[in-house]
Amino acid sequence: MKIAIVGKPVKEEVLPYVKRLFDNLLQRGITITISEGFAELLEPMLPLPATVEYFNRQTNLQDVSYMLSLGGDGTLLDAVTYVGALQIPILGINMGRLGFLASVPYAQLDASIETLLKGHYTFDERSLIHLDSDQEVFEGINFGLNEFSILKRDTSSMIAVHTYIDGEYLNSYWADGLIVATPTGSTGYSLSCGGPVMMPQTNNFVISPVCPHNLNVRPLVVSDRSVISFEIEGRSTKYLVSLDSRSRPVDASIQLAIRREDFNARLVKLNQVNFLTTLRTKMHWGLDQRNG
């Protein structure tokens, strides 16, 4: 078995857990491969085993059984871009505060690996959003787990995003930008713009304007079987488009359309992890000083 690991900078108190993870996997005869970026972060703080392999975006990961994401939700979003259509199962280990995606705390790392290797888990299939454009924007990684967004750049003026659903005109959003979020992304940027929370298995997108000029414009839920296309207008000649945390500048001549990706992100759901419990905890639902 081979397990791939991606991660972001870790605090010093977390390093013993990472070392135990390596020791645990190697003792079981499991091959470890680490993303080159994460290895560069670890090496000054933690000597890596001599048998560890390394991978980058050009590496074929077809022989990997699982991918571990050590960090927060952003790290897991990055892990999805490495996996792509291979749909390698991803387990998110949270190295900081509780996350919606990386919901297993690092203090439970040993127990989580034991549970994973015993097969005591289910798959949580999450839909992805795909960008089609007439110009290459994201170096071939044209999908994201959370959202696609169009945002203004280098100006205080609003932009107009003329939006179409399956070729039919929907609306011209005069705003700072526009977000199209998956159910997974409904608890992210879209939520901060007034969008609804959607259950992970809901087959929808939510279209949320960012700081709209007209206050009667509200987020809209549409089927994820739709193709949503855009035309951008504004005083500036440059705008930002983003897939999750990856942003790129584009000009107004670009043609953009989004749809549901043909494959899913396959997240590992351990028996003790529950989306509704995470949602209540993260959103502080039901917590009120009046209730003691």
Side-chain angles (χ1 to χ4, degrees):
M1 179 185 291
K2 179 183 286 190
I3 290 181
I5 302 175
V6 297
K8 293 291 177 67
V10 295
K11 298 178 181 178
E12 189 172 349
E13 60 265 26
V14 177
L15 289 176
Y17 293 91
V18 178
K19 185 179 185 307
R20 284 219 312 265
L21 170 65
F22 292 155
D23 294 341
N24 189 355
L25 296 179
L26 292 174
Q27 286 170 6
R28 296 172 183 267
I30 296 172
T31 302
I32 302 172
T33 180
I34 305 176
S35 67
E36 291 178 353
F38 188 39
E40 290 177 3
L41 294 171
L42 284 179
E43 283 174 340
M45 303 180 292
L46 181 67
L48 299 178
T51 57
V52 162
E53 299 177 5
Y54 304 93
F55 69 93
N56 54 39
R57 297 201 180 279
Q58 285 70 51
T59 305
N60 187 341
L61 299 178
Q62 202 156 8
D63 59 343
V64 169
S65 301
Y66 302 99
M67 179 170 285
L68 303 183
S69 167
L70 307 185
D73 286 354
T75 310
L76 195 143
L77 295 177
D78 192 40
V80 170
T81 65
Y82 282 101
V83 169
L86 294 174
Q87 298 190 113
I88 298 167
I90 303 172
L91 176 61
I93 306 295
N94 201 292
M95 295 299 185
R97 296 171 295 177
L98 176 67
F100 282 106
L101 299 173
S103 53
V104 178
Y106 65 84
Q108 298 178 13
L109 186 52
D110 290 344
S112 298
I113 296 301
E114 185 73 21
T115 301
L116 178 71
L117 297 180
K118 285 182 177 179
H120 297 169
Y121 62 83
T122 57
F123 288 137
D124 187 1
E125 300 280 351
R126 298 294 183 98
S127 61
L128 300 167
I129 196 166
H130 177 93
L131 171 67
D132 290 311
S133 61
D134 62 343
Q135 305 170 27
E136 186 57 65
V137 182
F138 293 102
E139 296 80 45
I141 308 176
N142 299 324
F143 59 88
L145 178 58
N146 268 5
E147 74 269 316
F148 168 76
S149 58
I150 302 171
L151 302 167
K152 69 179 186 178
R153 180 188 184 216
D154 299 335
T155 177
S156 60
S157 300
M158 291 181 294
I159 61 175
V161 184
H162 309 297
T163 306
Y164 303 80
I165 298 179
D166 294 329
E168 294 188 15
Y169 176 66
L170 168 64
N171 188 30
S172 293
Y173 291 93
W174 290 91
D176 285 354
L178 191 69
I179 306 164
V180 182
T182 65
T184 300
S186 70
T187 55
Y189 192 9
S190 175
L191 181 64
S192 69
C193 294
V197 174
M198 293 191 290
M199 293 293 290
Q201 306 309 323
T202 307
N203 296 318
N204 292 307
F205 291 136
V206 56
I207 303 173
S208 301
V210 181
C211 300
H213 177 63
N214 297 319
L215 297 181
N216 60 343
V217 176
R218 290 290 182 264
L220 176 68
V221 177
V222 301
S223 169
D224 67 4
R225 298 303 176 187
S226 306
V227 175
I228 307 172
S229 54
F230 313 94
E231 297 174 356
I232 313 172
E233 178 187 345
R235 294 179 182 176
S236 175
T237 59
K238 290 289 185 180
Y239 308 92
L240 284 178
V241 296
S242 68
L243 279 169
D244 294 343
S245 58
R246 296 169 286 135
S247 297
R248 301 289 188 274
V250 298
D251 59 54
S253 66
I254 193 170
Q255 296 181 16
L256 303 166
I258 64 98
R259 58 178 172 84
R260 179 169 175 163
E261 183 55 271
D262 296 331
F263 52 85
N264 294 332
R266 183 168 291 166
L267 307 185
V268 173
K269 180 181 177 183
L270 300 183
N271 295 338
Q272 70 269 26
V273 178
N274 180 283
F275 173 77
L276 295 178
T277 301
T278 302
L279 185 63
R280 287 194 305 272
T281 304
K282 187 81 171 176
M283 303 290 287
H284 302 290
W285 287 355
L287 296 182
D288 193 317
Q289 291 182 349
R290 294 171 295 181
N291 297 331

